[in-house]
Amino acid sequence: MFTFAGSLCGLFLRFMLPDSHLNKDARDVVTLGAGLIATMAALILGLLINSAHNSLDTISNELTQTATTIVELDQTLASYGPQTAELRQLLRKCVDAALESGGPENVVKEGTTERFDLETALRKMQSKLRSMSPQNNAQIILQSQAYQEVKQLAHSRLLLLQRGHKRISGIFLTILIFWLVVIS
């Protein structure tokens, strides 16, 4: 829309300029200037696309790592024994809530006003893990491993929340749109 408006302004201004400003030399200077601005705009768009691609790859890798940690935590809790059934159920609720919301933030379940807080659920899991009484060395190791995995999930949640709030600068987009309008 802005580039179209810029084109219309250019057509209007062309009829208002004296003939001396429309000679071959003036046209060449304007063409070179427009070429320079077009090249800079193309460079900026390329960098913007590359940045978005890198950001998407980073988030994808973090989600893959989080999913792996969830599976490992469930397997660790299952290996610990039946005492962890409540923790495994809470883990499933966390995963369901995150999938319903499409992100790691707090979730309001459909059809209810109940709010499921992932941060509170992860803290509750850590607390329950600390309060468990292992019966043998294997359970001590599994308890420690499960605690570290829950800690890693909490860390991943915070990273994903932080990355979700990054936006492209409005000033940057305004300058880029201005360049594209000038080119047209």
Side-chain angles (χ1 to χ4, degrees):
M1 180 171 111
F2 290 114
T3 53
F4 181 70
S7 296
L8 289 179
C9 286
L11 285 173
F12 179 70
L13 288 175
R14 185 179 194 285
F15 293 113
M16 297 186 74
L17 290 174
D19 289 337
S20 63
H21 291 292
L22 298 175
N23 64 21
K24 183 168 174 23
D25 292 336
R27 286 185 193 162
D28 288 344
V29 168
V30 170
T31 301
L32 286 173
L36 176 66
I37 293 173
T39 302
M40 298 229 354
L43 177 66
I44 297 297
L45 283 172
L47 291 172
L48 184 64
I49 290 169
N50 186 45
S51 174
H53 183 266
N54 288 340
S55 178
L56 183 64
D57 282 348
T58 301
I59 289 173
S60 177
N61 290 338
E62 287 174 1
L63 286 173
T64 301
Q65 180 62 39
T66 301
T68 303
T69 303
I70 289 170
V71 170
E72 289 173 348
L73 176 59
D74 187 55
Q75 291 172 349
T76 301
L77 292 173
S79 297
Y80 187 93
Q83 306 92 317
T84 61
E86 183 181 348
L87 284 171
R88 291 181 73 199
Q89 186 63 31
L90 184 57
L91 179 62
R92 284 188 192 93
K93 284 182 182 178
C94 288
V95 171
D96 288 343
L99 290 175
E100 283 180 18
S101 72
E105 59 275 343
N106 296 337
V107 181
V108 177
K109 296 262 191 184
E110 265 185 49
T112 69
T113 57
E114 179 184 337
R115 183 171 284 282
F116 187 85
D117 186 0
L118 292 172
E119 181 181 0
T120 303
L122 289 171
R123 273 198 240 122
K124 184 177 178 182
M125 289 178 76
Q126 286 177 329
S127 176
K128 285 185 181 273
L129 280 167
R130 279 192 302 264
S131 68
M132 289 172 43
S133 300
Q135 303 301 316
N136 55 42
N137 287 339
Q139 284 187 338
I140 291 172
I141 293 169
L142 290 170
Q143 179 187 23
S144 175
Q145 184 178 348
Y147 186 80
Q148 289 302 316
E149 288 166 347
V150 171
K151 195 173 177 181
Q152 177 62 38
L153 285 177
H155 178 76
S156 295
R157 176 187 169 273
L158 290 175
L159 280 176
L160 288 170
L161 280 173
Q162 184 62 29
R163 291 206 195 286
H165 293 294
K166 290 187 178 177
R167 301 283 185 247
I168 296 173
S169 168
I171 295 171
F172 174 73
L173 283 177
T174 303
I175 292 170
L176 186 60
I177 289 170
F178 175 74
W179 281 351
L180 293 173
V181 168
V182 169
I183 292 171
S184 61

